[in-house]
Amino acid sequence: QVQLVESGGGLVQAGGSLRLSCSASGRTFRRLAMGWFRLPPGKEREFVAAISWSGSTTYYADSVKGRFTIPRDNGKNTMYLQMNSLKPEDTAVYYCAGVGTRYNDYAATSGPEYDYWGQGTQVTVSS
């Protein structure tokens, strides 16, 4: 069993920055591929970014490339979403997700590939 807890959401002006954190507890010895998804108001969940356990592979949605990064610190069992140059269109509930990768080091971009999810944290970007 793995629990993921998110923090760092809030209200920020357009052009500003936020850093979200996702901390894992429980069976943290597992090699977790992790990712971020978001749910904009009135829309469906969408992929934001993903990172393999080793950090060697990352993927970003086209809408956030060049603005967001997804560093992780396995020693702290924590993954981050560094969000820069925020736009009002980034307003959403952000969720972190994880899945055990066993021996295969990969990054997953599809929600159904993940087994563990955080509770979500609200990010609101004002104009």
Side-chain angles (χ1 to χ4, degrees):
Q1 182 70 22
V2 174
Q3 295 82 44
L4 303 178
V5 179
E6 299 156 320
S7 62
L11 176 65
V12 64
Q13 294 185 167
S17 298
L18 282 175
R19 189 175 79 158
L20 306 182
S21 298
C22 177
S23 296
S25 61
R27 297 173 62 184
T28 56
F29 57 86
R30 297 184 65 180
R31 300 167 66 98
L32 296 177
M34 302 189 75
W36 289 95
F37 295 79
R38 66 188 183 186
L39 183 63
K43 298 182 179 181
E44 296 184 351
R45 182 183 65 191
E46 63 184 38
F47 167 75
V48 177
I51 187 169
S52 62
W53 180 86
S54 70
S56 63
T57 303
T58 58
Y59 296 115
Y60 296 93
D62 288 341
S63 59
V64 306
K65 285 180 179 177
R67 300 189 298 120
F68 292 10
T69 57
I70 185 171
R72 68 185 297 166
D73 186 339
N74 289 342
K76 297 181 178 180
N77 297 316
T78 301
M79 174 190 66
Y80 307 92
L81 183 66
Q82 179 64 50
M83 303 184 292
N84 301 320
S85 301
L86 282 162
K87 304 175 181 179
E89 306 91 88
D90 296 318
T91 295
V93 178
Y94 283 72
Y95 298 89
C96 67
V99 60
T101 59
R102 191 76 179 272
Y103 302 107
N104 188 24
D105 191 36
Y106 69 92
T109 60
S110 174
E113 297 179 85
Y114 288 94
D115 292 325
Y116 311 108
W117 293 83
Q119 79 284 358
T121 186
Q122 176 71 45
V123 173
T124 302
V125 184
S126 62
S127 301

